[in-house]
Amino acid sequence: MSPEAIARPTAARGPMAWAGQLLLYGLFALGIGVFSQWPPYRPLAEGQALIKVSFVRVGKPVGDCRQRSAEELARLPPTMRAPEVCPRERSPVTVELDIDGRRALTRSAAPAGLSRDGASALYERLVVPAGERRIAVRLSDDQRPGAPVHRREATLRLAPGQVLVIDFDPSLGGITLQ
Amino acid sequence: MTLWLAAERGLDRVCGPAANPLRQLGAVAAFAFALLAASGALLYVLLDTSADGAWASIERLAVVPLGLGDLLRGLHRHAADLLVVALVLHLLREWLHGHYVRVHRFAWLTGVPLVGFVFAAGIGGFWLNWDQLGQYSALATAEWLDALPLLGAPMARNFLGVASVGDRLFSLFLFVHVGVSLLMAFGLWFHVQRLGRPVLWPTRALVLALLAMLALVAVLAPVRSHAPAALARVPAELRLDWFLLFLHPLGEALTLPGLWVLVAAVAALLFGLPLWRRAQPAAPVAVVDAANCNGCRRCEDDCPYAAVTMVPHPNQRIGRHLAVVDSTMCAGCGICAGACPSSTPFRGAAQLVTGIDMPQRPVSVLRAELRAALAACTAPAPIVVFGCGQGARLATVAAPDVLTIGLICTGQLPPSFVEYALRDGAAGVLVAACREGGCAFRQGERWAAQRLLGQREPHLRDGVPADRWAMASAGAGDEAALAQAVRQLRQRLNALDDAADNYPIAAAPAAPPAAVAPFPSPPP
């Protein structure tokens, strides 16, 4: 009898061990096979549609530009004597969304940057029942009193699972519904 | 912990300790990663790395003859699932064993980021197929990242329309999947830097079993793509791979900031564990005696934590080296003392000083303890049991004819102690180690077995009668197995004729009498 043979088995042998291993790896395989694709997941409930409100927009300056006086210009170095000075900070961009006449979203996106002179960005998701919906969007990118507000209204039929993207693209006339 | 040990013992009975996946979870995870790399390299050759062509190129795998395409794709997907399972269990096991403090701190802190890498690379892999599942996962990930105010423009805007998903964005997908995988390989290398002889490949039996299992799943439940991505619609129903993609539904259930809080809390817990337990006193570390160290490098070879390095010996003899112990890496297991050729109890020096030894349990004390116990024993055929301090409690088998000598780890035992005990009056010697793969110091039982079987230096001399000693697997809680091993050895000895006389005591080496030192409590 070899010294190690007393109580130091290194490998399981015998039909019971084989059956046990088959069961063990079979169950593990079953677990991997099943949970790698089951249970199915529905990101959106049945009969729902998704509205995404998103834009990246540089707001208008927070104030009007003004002309420098002759005294101000004289105090500046010759290379910096621009006659007009404009505020660097941009207006926050505010969006309001009404669905079927009821307010569904109000968000104000602050301009990026330490000097608040960057673009305002927004990304919001709204889950709504599919069907015909009256969509009204207002977007303001200028906080000065009396500044114009971009508006868009439409009646759309949203299919279940459809994604409606509300964006802002000046080249397409402002607020877009895609 | 009790449940875990019960599971390990249960699988020992089924698979045998050598093929028990619970005892080599790190190696299983490394194997899964290697399989991912190999299958991923093949898939990369076949993948059309463009937004328009990716889906069709993956779909073509389904028509490859003999199901080889399904096999390749299934192996890749399910190896990722196996990696997640092995990684989580590995983390759980090391946590239960307290392997996040002292010498384990480095491996723990470098291992935790690998969890993040696995999920980042794994989730990113689903995007490359650019089907509805990839679309959902990429968008959900982008929305989750947008929940942190890091970027000026939301990343999710990249998925507003078909036009925004171009080949440049697809290149980013590839970078996430392949680049993070490469980072993971580097992280794995870093993770094992403070381990001596890291085990990065499971035993052959386990490799074959895992490969067969993954191939079976790949063939019986082939991975199929969803419909091609369509950003104008939310996919109605998805066959999620819950091992990797559970984070997305979890984010929807908890809200995206809530998921960030959860992830941050888990990360803080995992990273904070070693700091939380940091105030605990460190275990005594090995001490080198320059006068007795001959620079043989055995301690360097055997140290499970790469704590021993060799430097030129201060005696300045050409080629002579001296072992140096890094106290921050030493686990205090004593395996180095068991490896040292000067640890033999047959040395005639009045004071047995070894080249490298443990201050809390020196070899000289082991010898003195053994001699005192045998001298005091009046039983006609005593059995000496050398046992691991981390394993089965030796006190459960102590008897007038069973003398127990505790060790920090079985690897601390110089094999010549077996011969020494037999020559000094023992009828038989039992070396009780932890179960294979269950050593608290990684390799103690392995090195002890190899030394005793003559497969590793220092080895037990051939002249020692093989029927008078045995090695038993008796980890913590295996007191019954230890008692059975003692009974079996007793039966074997009883069967031998004139057990004590066949191996007379040789000239007894000179050794000063010493009081039996109490065995210190094992480190928690």
Side-chain angles (χ1 to χ4, degrees):
Chain A
M1 188 184 289
S2 64
E4 76 272 29
I6 279 192
R8 203 162 174 276
T10 56
R13 294 186 178 89
M16 288 303 288
W18 279 105
Q21 288 187 49
L22 274 177
L23 184 67
L24 168 72
Y25 287 106
L27 284 176
F28 195 33
L30 186 68
I32 285 190
V34 167
F35 292 113
S36 63
Q37 49 187 323
W38 185 87
Y41 178 69
R42 301 182 68 90
L44 210 56
E46 210 161 336
Q48 304 282 323
L50 185 64
I51 295 178
K52 293 182 180 179
V53 181
S54 180
F55 57 80
V56 176
R57 172 87 180 137
V58 180
K60 297 285 193 292
V62 292
D64 293 326
C65 298
R66 67 176 179 82
Q67 297 295 319
R68 284 193 171 109
S69 64
E71 292 76 18
E72 282 180 301
L73 288 171
R75 283 199 296 270
L76 291 171
T79 54
M80 297 178 68
R81 288 175 183 168
E84 189 177 65
V85 60
C86 298
R88 185 172 174 180
E89 186 179 341
R90 298 286 174 161
S91 299
V93 178
T94 304
V95 66
E96 292 175 345
L97 171 66
D98 293 347
I99 300 176
D100 296 334
R102 299 180 65 176
R103 182 64 48 84
L105 178 77
T106 303
R107 288 284 184 278
S108 182
L114 292 174
S115 301
R116 307 180 77 78
D117 58 346
S120 299
L122 184 79
Y123 179 88
E124 291 285 343
R125 291 162 43 108
L126 289 101
V127 177
V128 298
E132 190 170 282
R133 298 277 166 260
R134 181 70 184 163
I135 308 286
V137 189
R138 291 175 295 281
L139 186 142
S140 165
D141 57 3
D142 192 344
Q143 68 176 19
R144 288 172 292 190
V149 174
H150 303 275
R151 297 173 190 276
R152 178 79 185 267
E153 290 193 27
T155 300
L156 302 169
R157 176 167 290 280
L158 297 177
Q162 182 181 343
V163 178
L164 171 68
V165 177
I166 300 174
D167 202 345
F168 188 88
D169 187 344
S171 66
L172 297 176
I175 297 169
T176 62
L177 306 175
Q178 304 168 26
Chain B
M1 184 64 179
T2 308
L3 277 176
W4 183 273
L5 289 177
E8 281 188 349
R9 288 188 197 119
L11 288 195
D12 275 348
R13 280 195 290 275
V14 172
C15 307
N20 184 342
L22 291 184
R23 295 195 184 279
Q24 34 192 328
L25 287 164
V28 170
F31 162 73
F33 182 58
L35 188 57
L36 277 167
S39 55
L42 281 174
L43 283 170
Y44 185 72
V45 172
L46 302 170
L47 175 71
D48 181 340
T49 56
S50 69
D52 293 332
W55 185 86
S57 68
I58 293 294
E59 199 62 9
R60 280 194 288 273
L61 289 173
V63 296
V64 173
L66 304 175
L68 292 176
D70 284 340
L71 181 65
L72 176 63
R73 190 176 179 189
L75 280 178
H76 193 66
R77 164 76 78 86
H78 298 311
D81 299 332
L82 174 65
L83 176 56
V84 171
V85 173
L87 198 67
V88 170
L89 291 178
H90 182 48
L91 199 67
L92 178 65
R93 184 182 192 271
E94 300 309 303
W95 174 63
L96 289 173
H97 282 81
H99 289 171
Y100 49 82
V101 286
R102 300 191 188 119
V103 294
H104 305 288
R105 186 181 301 146
F106 179 85
W108 179 269
L109 291 176
T110 53
V112 169
L114 294 181
V115 180
F117 289 159
V118 165
F119 276 94
I123 291 174
F126 288 90
W127 310 343
L128 293 179
N129 189 22
W130 206 226
D131 61 352
Q132 288 184 346
L133 182 61
Q135 165 195 330
Y136 166 75
S137 177
L139 183 55
T141 305
E143 289 174 347
W144 184 54
L145 292 173
D146 288 338
L148 287 182
L150 297 176
L151 301 174
M155 286 182 66
R157 279 186 60 81
N158 288 304
F159 305 99
L160 286 182
V162 178
S164 53
V165 181
D167 292 348
R168 288 180 64 186
L169 185 62
F170 219 73
S171 300
L172 178 67
F173 291 175
L174 266 175
F175 173 77
V176 169
H177 189 53
V178 179
V180 175
S181 298
L182 291 173
L183 273 179
M184 195 157 55
F186 175 72
L188 181 60
W189 172 81
F190 213 52
H191 179 56
V192 299
Q193 278 307 294
R194 291 198 175 186
L195 296 181
R197 299 171 188 264
V199 182
L200 291 172
W201 198 255
T203 55
R204 186 188 303 172
L206 187 52
V207 166
L208 292 176
L210 291 172
L211 261 181
M213 181 196 72
L214 294 178
L216 189 73
V217 181
V219 171
L220 293 183
V223 179
R224 291 281 182 258
S225 299
H226 291 68
L231 292 167
R233 300 194 62 79
V234 179
E237 191 171 281
L238 295 169
R239 299 184 303 277
L240 279 195
D241 186 324
W242 291 91
F243 294 100
L244 281 159
L245 299 180
F246 70 93
L247 285 169
H248 300 325
L250 189 62
E252 290 180 27
L254 296 177
T255 73
L256 297 178
L259 182 59
W260 272 116
V261 170
L262 179 67
V263 169
V266 171
L269 174 71
L270 294 177
F271 279 116
L273 271 176
L275 305 174
W276 178 48
R277 294 279 300 271
R278 197 174 185 176
Q280 292 215 343
V285 300
V287 174
V288 176
D289 184 85
N292 284 279
C293 175
N294 68 0
C296 69
R297 294 182 180 272
R298 288 177 188 170
C299 53
E300 184 191 26
D301 282 347
D302 283 7
C303 178
Y305 298 101
V308 181
T309 51
M310 307 305 291
V311 298
H313 201 285
N315 65 15
Q316 298 185 335
R317 290 184 189 168
I318 296 171
R320 187 78 181 269
H321 287 86
L322 175 71
V324 173
V325 177
D326 184 335
S327 61
T328 64
M329 297 167 72
C330 177
C333 60
I335 290 174
C336 51
C340 184
S342 66
S343 292
T344 173
F346 289 109
R347 287 175 64 196
Q351 181 65 35
L352 179 57
V353 179
T354 62
I356 188 166
D357 209 346
M358 302 310 297
Q360 74 273 39
R361 189 85 174 139
V363 171
S364 61
V365 169
L366 289 181
R367 183 175 75 170
E369 217 174 280
L370 175 64
R371 287 177 60 87
L374 285 170
C377 180
T378 55
I383 289 177
V384 171
V385 180
F386 293 103
C388 174
Q390 318 292 317
R393 285 175 289 121
L394 295 181
T396 57
V397 294
D401 61 344
V402 180
L403 314 176
T404 58
I405 307 289
L407 305 161
I408 304 172
C409 168
T410 311
Q412 186 197 6
L413 182 71
S416 47
F417 263 76
V418 173
E419 183 176 8
Y420 188 83
L422 291 173
R423 286 197 187 189
D424 221 16
V429 174
L430 182 70
V431 180
C434 293
R435 293 188 180 207
E436 188 172 348
C439 176
F441 301 107
R442 296 187 63 239
Q443 290 162 333
E445 59 81 26
R446 187 176 168 205
W447 292 165
Q450 291 186 1
R451 290 172 193 158
L452 290 170
L453 295 173
Q455 299 164 354
R456 187 174 197 83
E457 296 298 339
H459 66 270
L460 183 63
R461 290 202 305 174
D462 292 341
V464 178
D467 45 11
R468 289 197 173 273
W469 70 271
M471 194 168 177
S473 286
D478 283 338
E479 282 75 20
L482 178 62
Q484 188 188 4
V486 172
R487 279 196 302 273
Q488 284 181 304
L489 181 59
R490 173 63 68 197
Q491 288 168 3
R492 185 199 285 179
L493 294 174
N494 288 342
L496 296 172
D497 294 330
D498 55 357
D501 298 336
N502 280 348
Y503 205 67
I505 297 173
V516 176
F519 186 54
S521 301

